[in-house]
Amino acid sequence: MDLRIEPATVADVQLAKKQHARFWGDRDLRDLHQLPLVHEFGETCLVARAADGGSSDDDLVLGYILGMVTPSAVGYIHLVATRDDVRGLGVGRRLHAAFAEAAKRHGALRLKAITNPLNAGSIAFHTAIGFEASTVEDYYGSGSPMVVFRRELG
Ligand SMILES: CC(C)(COP(=O)(O)OP(=O)(O)OC[C@H]1O[C@@H](n2cnc3c(N)ncnc32)[C@H](O)[C@@H]1OP(=O)(O)O)[C@@H](O)C(=O)NCCC(=O)NCCS
């Protein structure tokens, strides 16, 4: 699939929120799509588009990854999602590769992401692209574990 991966814009994040169910299904994660992320961490907030730009404004975002580099040199992935009609085609893998390059340029030595233990698709995806997964009890407070993914950057 011919893709362009480039810095995400405010309009991209707004479109991803508008089409939220196409990226996240029944889960409502719209509150996590804060626009300051794009303003303040623009180098590590990326969007994947069809190389030809898509057929309309509603077709501009095939996937996105919003993240940042922490002071301890971790490239932290806050959100990654691909649209329901392009899954399994390598869009998520390419977004991650582009994020890893951007994070490295900004000093990251390793990558980290988290997911809900019930999100089997996310666990399979992160494992397939080279992350190690471990469950951290109480990550989200008492009785709320999360799966933490880690990968060293070579
Ligand atoms: C997780 C997600 C981003 C994967 O994106 P994608 O574009 O389908 O992933 P890719 O096509 O690049 O797949 C990369 C690898 O992961 C594997 N993979 C991806 N999703 C998978 C799934 N649901 N089950 C098993 N393997 C999966 C692919 O088989 C592929 O492995 P391979 O290269 O060895 O064949 C996408 O399914 C998604 O947006 N899910 C909803 C949002 C979400 O849960 N995000 C993660 C929250 S932390």
Side-chain angles (χ1 to χ4, degrees), residues 39-95:
H39 290 293
E40 306 306 331
F41 301 107
E43 294 85 356
T44 48
C45 290
L46 305 172
V47 63
R49 311 188 195 285
D52 65 4
S55 55
S56 71
D57 284 354
D58 274 349
D59 200 26
L60 276 174
V61 177
L62 300 182
Y64 55 95
I65 186 163
L66 307 182
M68 69 273 313
V69 177
T70 74
S72 50
V74 173
Y76 175 73
I77 296 111
H78 175 64
L79 291 170
V80 58
T82 57
R83 209 171 64 186
D84 52 7
D85 59 340
V86 298
R87 299 228 170 113
L89 300 177
V91 179
R93 183 186 279 279
R94 289 191 48 196
L95 274 167

CSV table of all heavy atoms in Angstrom, one decimal, residues 39-95:
chain,number,residue,atom,x,y,z
A,39,HIS,N,0.5,20.1,19.1
A,39,HIS,CA,1.3,21.4,19.1
A,39,HIS,C,2.6,21.3,19.8
A,39,HIS,O,3.6,21.8,19.4
A,39,HIS,CB,0.4,22.5,19.9
A,39,HIS,CG,-0.8,22.9,19.2
A,39,HIS,ND1,-0.7,23.6,18.0
A,39,HIS,CD2,-2.1,22.7,19.4
A,39,HIS,CE1,-1.9,23.9,17.6
A,39,HIS,NE2,-2.8,23.4,18.4
A,40,GLU,N,2.7,20.5,20.9
A,40,GLU,CA,3.9,20.4,21.7
A,40,GLU,C,4.8,19.3,21.4
A,40,GLU,O,6.0,19.3,21.8
A,40,GLU,CB,3.5,20.4,23.2
A,40,GLU,CG,2.6,21.5,23.7
A,40,GLU,CD,3.1,22.9,23.3
A,40,GLU,OE1,4.3,23.1,23.3
A,40,GLU,OE2,2.3,23.8,23.1
A,41,PHE,N,4.3,18.2,20.8
A,41,PHE,CA,5.1,17.1,20.5
A,41,PHE,C,5.0,16.7,19.0
A,41,PHE,O,4.9,15.6,18.6
A,41,PHE,CB,4.7,15.8,21.3
A,41,PHE,CG,4.8,16.1,22.8
A,41,PHE,CD1,3.7,16.2,23.6
A,41,PHE,CD2,6.1,16.2,23.4
A,41,PHE,CE1,3.8,16.5,24.9
A,41,PHE,CE2,6.2,16.4,24.8
A,41,PHE,CZ,5.0,16.5,25.6
A,42,GLY,N,4.9,17.8,18.2
A,42,GLY,CA,4.6,17.6,16.7
A,42,GLY,C,5.6,16.7,16.0
A,42,GLY,O,5.2,16.1,15.0
A,43,GLU,N,6.8,16.7,16.5
A,43,GLU,CA,7.9,15.8,15.8
A,43,GLU,C,7.6,14.4,15.9
A,43,GLU,O,8.0,13.5,15.2
A,43,GLU,CB,9.3,16.1,16.3
A,43,GLU,CG,9.8,17.5,16.0
A,43,GLU,CD,9.3,18.6,17.1
A,43,GLU,OE1,8.5,18.2,18.0
A,43,GLU,OE2,9.7,19.7,17.0
A,44,THR,N,6.8,14.0,17.0
A,44,THR,CA,6.6,12.6,17.2
A,44,THR,C,5.1,12.2,17.2
A,44,THR,O,4.6,11.2,17.8
A,44,THR,CB,7.2,12.1,18.6
A,44,THR,OG1,6.9,13.1,19.6
A,44,THR,CG2,8.7,12.1,18.5
A,45,CYS,N,4.3,13.1,16.6
A,45,CYS,CA,2.9,12.8,16.3
A,45,CYS,C,2.7,12.7,14.8
A,45,CYS,O,2.8,13.7,14.1
A,45,CYS,CB,2.0,13.9,16.9
A,45,CYS,SG,2.0,13.9,18.7
A,46,LEU,N,2.4,11.5,14.3
A,46,LEU,CA,2.5,11.2,12.9
A,46,LEU,C,1.2,10.6,12.4
A,46,LEU,O,0.5,10.0,13.1
A,46,LEU,CB,3.6,10.2,12.6
A,46,LEU,CG,5.0,10.6,13.1
A,46,LEU,CD1,6.0,9.4,13.0
A,46,LEU,CD2,5.5,11.8,12.4
A,47,VAL,N,0.9,10.9,11.1
A,47,VAL,CA,-0.3,10.4,10.5
A,47,VAL,C,0.1,9.7,9.2
A,47,VAL,O,1.1,10.0,8.6
A,47,VAL,CB,-1.2,11.6,10.2
A,47,VAL,CG1,-0.7,12.5,9.2
A,47,VAL,CG2,-2.6,11.1,9.7
A,48,ALA,N,-0.6,8.6,8.9
A,48,ALA,CA,-0.4,7.9,7.6
A,48,ALA,C,-1.6,8.2,6.7
A,48,ALA,O,-2.7,8.2,7.1
A,48,ALA,CB,-0.4,6.4,7.8
A,49,ARG,N,-1.2,8.7,5.5
A,49,ARG,CA,-2.2,9.0,4.4
A,49,ARG,C,-2.0,8.1,3.2
A,49,ARG,O,-0.8,7.7,3.0
A,49,ARG,CB,-2.1,10.4,4.0
A,49,ARG,CG,-2.0,11.4,5.1
A,49,ARG,CD,-2.1,12.9,4.4
A,49,ARG,NE,-1.7,13.9,5.4
A,49,ARG,CZ,-2.4,14.3,6.4
A,49,ARG,NH1,-3.6,13.8,6.6
A,49,ARG,NH2,-1.9,15.2,7.2
A,50,ALA,N,-3.0,7.9,2.4
A,50,ALA,CA,-2.8,7.3,1.1
A,50,ALA,C,-1.9,8.2,0.3
A,50,ALA,O,-2.0,9.4,0.4
A,50,ALA,CB,-4.1,7.1,0.4
A,51,ALA,N,-1.0,7.6,-0.5
A,51,ALA,CA,0.0,8.4,-1.2
A,51,ALA,C,-0.7,9.5,-2.1
A,51,ALA,O,-0.2,10.6,-2.3
A,51,ALA,CB,0.9,7.5,-2.0
A,52,ASP,N,-1.8,9.1,-2.6
A,52,ASP,CA,-2.5,10.0,-3.5
A,52,ASP,C,-3.5,11.0,-2.8
A,52,ASP,O,-4.2,11.7,-3.4
A,52,ASP,CB,-3.3,9.3,-4.6
A,52,ASP,CG,-4.5,8.4,-3.9
A,52,ASP,OD1,-4.7,8.5,-2.7
A,52,ASP,OD2,-5.2,7.7,-4.7
A,53,GLY,N,-3.4,10.9,-1.4
A,53,GLY,CA,-4.2,11.9,-0.6
A,53,GLY,C,-5.6,11.4,-0.3
A,53,GLY,O,-6.3,12.1,0.5
A,54,GLY,N,-6.0,10.3,-0.9
A,54,GLY,CA,-7.4,9.8,-0.6
A,54,GLY,C,-8.4,10.5,-1.5
A,54,GLY,O,-8.1,11.4,-2.2
A,55,SER,N,-9.7,10.1,-1.4
A,55,SER,CA,-10.7,10.5,-2.3
A,55,SER,C,-11.5,11.8,-1.8
A,55,SER,O,-12.1,12.4,-2.6
A,55,SER,CB,-11.7,9.4,-2.6
A,55,SER,OG,-12.2,8.9,-1.3
A,56,SER,N,-11.3,12.1,-0.5
A,56,SER,CA,-12.0,13.3,0.0
A,56,SER,C,-11.4,13.7,1.4
A,56,SER,O,-10.5,13.0,1.9
A,56,SER,CB,-13.5,13.0,0.3
A,56,SER,OG,-13.6,12.1,1.4
A,57,ASP,N,-11.8,14.8,1.9
A,57,ASP,CA,-11.3,15.2,3.2
A,57,ASP,C,-11.5,14.2,4.3
A,57,ASP,O,-10.7,14.1,5.2
A,57,ASP,CB,-11.9,16.6,3.6
A,57,ASP,CG,-11.3,17.7,2.8
A,57,ASP,OD1,-10.4,17.5,2.0
A,57,ASP,OD2,-11.8,18.8,3.0
A,58,ASP,N,-12.6,13.4,4.2
A,58,ASP,CA,-12.9,12.4,5.2
A,58,ASP,C,-12.0,11.2,5.1
A,58,ASP,O,-12.1,10.2,5.9
A,58,ASP,CB,-14.4,12.0,5.1
A,58,ASP,CG,-15.3,12.9,5.9
A,58,ASP,OD1,-14.8,13.7,6.6
A,58,ASP,OD2,-16.5,12.8,5.7
A,59,ASP,N,-11.2,11.2,4.0
A,59,ASP,CA,-10.4,10.0,3.7
A,59,ASP,C,-8.9,10.3,4.0
A,59,ASP,O,-8.0,9.5,3.5
A,59,ASP,CB,-10.6,9.7,2.2
A,59,ASP,CG,-10.2,8.2,1.9
A,59,ASP,OD1,-10.2,7.4,2.8
A,59,ASP,OD2,-9.8,8.0,0.7
A,60,LEU,N,-8.6,11.4,4.7
A,60,LEU,CA,-7.2,11.8,4.8
A,60,LEU,C,-6.4,11.0,5.8
A,60,LEU,O,-5.2,11.0,5.7
A,60,LEU,CB,-7.2,13.3,5.2
A,60,LEU,CG,-7.4,14.3,4.1
A,60,LEU,CD1,-7.5,15.7,4.6
A,60,LEU,CD2,-6.2,14.2,3.1
A,61,VAL,N,-7.0,10.4,6.8
A,61,VAL,CA,-6.3,9.7,7.8
A,61,VAL,C,-6.5,8.2,7.8
A,61,VAL,O,-7.6,7.7,8.0
A,61,VAL,CB,-6.6,10.2,9.2
A,61,VAL,CG1,-5.9,9.5,10.3
A,61,VAL,CG2,-6.4,11.7,9.3
A,62,LEU,N,-5.4,7.4,7.5
A,62,LEU,CA,-5.5,6.0,7.5
A,62,LEU,C,-5.1,5.4,8.8
A,62,LEU,O,-5.4,4.3,9.2
A,62,LEU,CB,-4.7,5.4,6.3
A,62,LEU,CG,-5.1,5.8,4.9
A,62,LEU,CD1,-4.3,5.1,3.9
A,62,LEU,CD2,-6.6,5.5,4.7
A,63,GLY,N,-4.2,6.2,9.5
A,63,GLY,CA,-3.7,5.7,10.8
A,63,GLY,C,-2.9,6.9,11.4
A,63,GLY,O,-2.6,7.8,10.7
A,64,TYR,N,-2.7,6.7,12.7
A,64,TYR,CA,-1.9,7.8,13.4
A,64,TYR,C,-1.2,7.2,14.6
A,64,TYR,O,-1.6,6.2,15.2
A,64,TYR,CB,-2.8,9.0,13.8
A,64,TYR,CG,-4.0,8.6,14.6
A,64,TYR,CD1,-4.0,8.7,16.0
A,64,TYR,CD2,-5.2,8.2,14.0
A,64,TYR,CE1,-5.1,8.4,16.8
A,64,TYR,CE2,-6.3,7.9,14.7
A,64,TYR,CZ,-6.2,8.0,16.1
A,64,TYR,OH,-7.3,7.6,16.9
A,65,ILE,N,-0.2,7.9,15.0
A,65,ILE,CA,0.6,7.5,16.2
A,65,ILE,C,0.9,8.8,16.9
A,65,ILE,O,1.5,9.7,16.3
A,65,ILE,CB,1.8,6.7,15.9
A,65,ILE,CG1,2.5,6.1,17.1
A,65,ILE,CG2,2.8,7.4,15.0
A,65,ILE,CD1,3.4,4.9,16.9
A,66,LEU,N,0.5,8.9,18.1
A,66,LEU,CA,0.7,10.2,18.9
A,66,LEU,C,1.7,9.8,20.1
A,66,LEU,O,1.3,8.9,20.9
A,66,LEU,CB,-0.6,10.8,19.5
A,66,LEU,CG,-1.7,11.0,18.5
A,66,LEU,CD1,-2.9,11.7,19.2
A,66,LEU,CD2,-1.2,11.9,17.3
A,67,GLY,N,2.8,10.4,20.1
A,67,GLY,CA,3.7,10.1,21.2
A,67,GLY,C,4.7,11.2,21.5
A,67,GLY,O,4.6,12.3,20.9
A,68,MET,N,5.6,10.9,22.4
A,68,MET,CA,6.6,11.9,22.7
A,68,MET,C,7.9,11.3,23.3
A,68,MET,O,7.9,10.1,23.6
A,68,MET,CB,6.0,12.9,23.8
A,68,MET,CG,5.8,12.3,25.2
A,68,MET,SD,4.2,11.4,25.5
A,68,MET,CE,3.0,12.5,24.9
A,69,VAL,N,8.9,12.0,23.4
A,69,VAL,CA,10.2,11.5,24.0
A,69,VAL,C,10.2,12.1,25.4
A,69,VAL,O,10.2,13.3,25.6
A,69,VAL,CB,11.4,11.9,23.2
A,69,VAL,CG1,12.7,11.4,23.9
A,69,VAL,CG2,11.3,11.3,21.8
A,70,THR,N,10.4,11.2,26.4
A,70,THR,CA,10.4,11.7,27.8
A,70,THR,C,11.8,12.1,28.2
A,70,THR,O,12.8,11.8,27.5
A,70,THR,CB,9.9,10.6,28.8
A,70,THR,OG1,11.0,9.6,28.9
A,70,THR,CG2,8.7,9.9,28.3
A,71,PRO,N,11.9,12.9,29.3
A,71,PRO,CA,13.3,13.3,29.8
A,71,PRO,C,14.2,12.1,30.1
A,71,PRO,O,15.4,12.3,30.1
A,71,PRO,CB,13.0,14.1,31.1
A,71,PRO,CG,11.6,14.5,30.9
A,71,PRO,CD,10.9,13.4,30.2
A,72,SER,N,13.6,10.9,30.3
A,72,SER,CA,14.5,9.7,30.5
A,72,SER,C,14.7,8.9,29.2
A,72,SER,O,15.0,7.7,29.3
A,72,SER,CB,13.9,8.9,31.6
A,72,SER,OG,12.6,8.6,31.4
A,73,ALA,N,14.6,9.6,28.1
A,73,ALA,CA,14.9,9.0,26.8
A,73,ALA,C,14.1,7.9,26.4
A,73,ALA,O,14.5,7.0,25.7
A,73,ALA,CB,16.4,8.7,26.8
A,74,VAL,N,12.8,7.9,26.8
A,74,VAL,CA,11.8,6.9,26.4
A,74,VAL,C,10.9,7.5,25.3
A,74,VAL,O,10.4,8.6,25.5
A,74,VAL,CB,11.0,6.4,27.6
A,74,VAL,CG1,9.9,5.5,27.1
A,74,VAL,CG2,11.8,5.7,28.6
A,75,GLY,N,10.8,6.8,24.2
A,75,GLY,CA,9.9,7.2,23.2
A,75,GLY,C,8.5,6.6,23.6
A,75,GLY,O,8.4,5.4,23.4
A,76,TYR,N,7.7,7.4,24.2
A,76,TYR,CA,6.4,6.8,24.7
A,76,TYR,C,5.3,7.0,23.7
A,76,TYR,O,5.0,8.1,23.2
A,76,TYR,CB,6.1,7.6,26.0
A,76,TYR,CG,4.7,7.1,26.6
A,76,TYR,CD1,4.6,5.9,27.1
A,76,TYR,CD2,3.6,7.9,26.5
A,76,TYR,CE1,3.4,5.4,27.6
A,76,TYR,CE2,2.4,7.5,26.9
A,76,TYR,CZ,2.3,6.3,27.5
A,76,TYR,OH,1.1,5.8,27.9
A,77,ILE,N,4.6,5.9,23.4
A,77,ILE,CA,3.5,5.9,22.4
A,77,ILE,C,2.2,6.1,23.2
A,77,ILE,O,1.8,5.1,24.0
A,77,ILE,CB,3.5,4.7,21.6
A,77,ILE,CG1,4.8,4.6,20.7
A,77,ILE,CG2,2.3,4.7,20.7
A,77,ILE,CD1,5.7,3.6,21.1
A,78,HIS,N,1.6,7.2,23.1
A,78,HIS,CA,0.4,7.5,23.8
A,78,HIS,C,-0.8,6.8,23.1
A,78,HIS,O,-1.7,6.2,23.8
A,78,HIS,CB,0.2,9.0,23.8
A,78,HIS,CG,-1.0,9.5,24.4
A,78,HIS,ND1,-1.4,9.3,25.8
A,78,HIS,CD2,-2.1,10.2,23.9
A,78,HIS,CE1,-2.5,9.9,26.0
A,78,HIS,NE2,-3.0,10.4,24.9
A,79,LEU,N,-0.9,6.9,21.8
A,79,LEU,CA,-2.0,6.3,21.0
A,79,LEU,C,-1.5,5.8,19.7
A,79,LEU,O,-0.7,6.6,19.0
A,79,LEU,CB,-3.1,7.3,20.7
A,79,LEU,CG,-4.0,7.8,21.9
A,79,LEU,CD1,-4.8,9.0,21.5
A,79,LEU,CD2,-4.9,6.7,22.5
A,80,VAL,N,-1.9,4.7,19.2
A,80,VAL,CA,-1.7,4.3,17.8
A,80,VAL,C,-2.9,3.5,17.3
A,80,VAL,O,-3.5,2.7,18.1
A,80,VAL,CB,-0.4,3.3,17.7
A,80,VAL,CG1,-0.5,2.1,18.5
A,80,VAL,CG2,-0.2,3.0,16.2
A,81,ALA,N,-3.4,3.9,16.2
A,81,ALA,CA,-4.6,3.2,15.6
A,81,ALA,C,-4.5,3.3,14.1
A,81,ALA,O,-4.0,4.3,13.5
A,81,ALA,CB,-5.8,3.9,16.1
A,82,THR,N,-5.1,2.3,13.5
A,82,THR,CA,-5.3,2.3,12.0
A,82,THR,C,-6.8,2.2,11.7
A,82,THR,O,-7.5,1.5,12.5
A,82,THR,CB,-4.4,1.2,11.3
A,82,THR,OG1,-4.8,0.0,11.8
A,82,THR,CG2,-3.0,1.5,11.5
A,83,ARG,N,-7.2,2.7,10.6
A,83,ARG,CA,-8.6,2.6,10.2
A,83,ARG,C,-9.1,1.2,9.9
A,83,ARG,O,-8.3,0.4,9.4
A,83,ARG,CB,-8.9,3.6,9.0
A,83,ARG,CG,-10.3,4.2,9.0
A,83,ARG,CD,-10.4,5.2,7.9
A,83,ARG,NE,-10.2,4.6,6.6
A,83,ARG,CZ,-10.1,5.4,5.5
A,83,ARG,NH1,-10.2,6.7,5.6
A,83,ARG,NH2,-10.0,4.8,4.3
A,84,ASP,N,-10.3,0.9,10.3
A,84,ASP,CA,-10.8,-0.5,10.2
A,84,ASP,C,-10.6,-1.1,8.8
A,84,ASP,O,-10.4,-2.3,8.7
A,84,ASP,CB,-12.3,-0.6,10.6
A,84,ASP,CG,-13.2,0.4,10.0
A,84,ASP,OD1,-12.8,1.1,9.0
A,84,ASP,OD2,-14.4,0.5,10.4
A,85,ASP,N,-10.6,-0.3,7.7
A,85,ASP,CA,-10.5,-0.9,6.4
A,85,ASP,C,-9.1,-1.1,5.9
A,85,ASP,O,-8.9,-1.6,4.8
A,85,ASP,CB,-11.3,-0.1,5.4
A,85,ASP,CG,-10.8,1.4,5.3
A,85,ASP,OD1,-10.2,1.8,6.2
A,85,ASP,OD2,-11.1,2.0,4.3
A,86,VAL,N,-8.1,-0.7,6.7
A,86,VAL,CA,-6.7,-0.9,6.2
A,86,VAL,C,-5.9,-1.7,7.2
A,86,VAL,O,-4.7,-1.8,7.1
A,86,VAL,CB,-6.0,0.5,5.9
A,86,VAL,CG1,-6.7,1.2,4.8
A,86,VAL,CG2,-5.9,1.3,7.2
A,87,ARG,N,-6.6,-2.4,8.1
A,87,ARG,CA,-5.8,-3.2,9.1
A,87,ARG,C,-5.2,-4.4,8.4
A,87,ARG,O,-5.7,-4.9,7.4
A,87,ARG,CB,-6.8,-3.7,10.2
A,87,ARG,CG,-7.4,-2.5,10.9
A,87,ARG,CD,-7.4,-2.7,12.4
A,87,ARG,NE,-7.7,-1.4,12.9
A,87,ARG,CZ,-8.9,-1.2,13.6
A,87,ARG,NH1,-9.7,-2.2,13.9
A,87,ARG,NH2,-9.1,0.0,14.1
A,88,GLY,N,-4.1,-4.8,9.0
A,88,GLY,CA,-3.4,-6.0,8.5
A,88,GLY,C,-2.6,-5.8,7.2
A,88,GLY,O,-2.1,-6.7,6.6
A,89,LEU,N,-2.4,-4.5,6.8
A,89,LEU,CA,-1.7,-4.2,5.6
A,89,LEU,C,-0.4,-3.5,5.8
A,89,LEU,O,0.3,-3.0,4.9
A,89,LEU,CB,-2.6,-3.2,4.7
A,89,LEU,CG,-4.0,-3.7,4.3
A,89,LEU,CD1,-4.7,-2.7,3.5
A,89,LEU,CD2,-3.8,-5.0,3.4
A,90,GLY,N,0.0,-3.5,7.1
A,90,GLY,CA,1.3,-2.9,7.4
A,90,GLY,C,1.3,-1.4,7.8
A,90,GLY,O,2.4,-0.9,8.0
A,91,VAL,N,0.2,-0.8,7.9
A,91,VAL,CA,0.1,0.6,8.2
A,91,VAL,C,0.6,0.9,9.6
A,91,VAL,O,1.5,1.7,9.8
A,91,VAL,CB,-1.3,1.2,8.0
A,91,VAL,CG1,-1.3,2.7,8.3
A,91,VAL,CG2,-1.8,1.0,6.6
A,92,GLY,N,0.2,0.0,10.5
A,92,GLY,CA,0.6,0.2,11.9
A,92,GLY,C,2.1,0.0,12.1
A,92,GLY,O,2.8,0.7,12.8
A,93,ARG,N,2.6,-1.0,11.4
A,93,ARG,CA,4.1,-1.3,11.4
A,93,ARG,C,4.9,-0.1,10.9
A,93,ARG,O,5.8,0.3,11.5
A,93,ARG,CB,4.4,-2.6,10.6
A,93,ARG,CG,5.8,-3.0,10.7
A,93,ARG,CD,6.1,-4.2,9.7
A,93,ARG,NE,5.7,-5.5,10.3
A,93,ARG,CZ,6.4,-6.2,11.1
A,93,ARG,NH1,7.6,-5.7,11.6
A,93,ARG,NH2,6.1,-7.3,11.6
A,94,ARG,N,4.4,0.4,9.8
A,94,ARG,CA,5.1,1.6,9.2
A,94,ARG,C,5.0,2.8,10.0
A,94,ARG,O,6.0,3.6,10.2
A,94,ARG,CB,4.6,1.8,7.8
A,94,ARG,CG,5.1,0.7,6.9
A,94,ARG,CD,4.9,0.9,5.4
A,94,ARG,NE,5.4,2.2,5.0
A,94,ARG,CZ,5.0,2.8,3.9
A,94,ARG,NH1,4.2,2.2,3.1
A,94,ARG,NH2,5.5,4.0,3.6
A,95,LEU,N,3.9,3.0,10.7
A,95,LEU,CA,3.8,4.2,11.6
A,95,LEU,C,4.8,4.0,12.7
A,95,LEU,O,5.4,5.0,13.1
A,95,LEU,CB,2.4,4.3,12.1
A,95,LEU,CG,1.3,5.0,11.3
A,95,LEU,CD1,-0.1,4.8,11.8
A,95,LEU,CD2,1.6,6.5,11.3
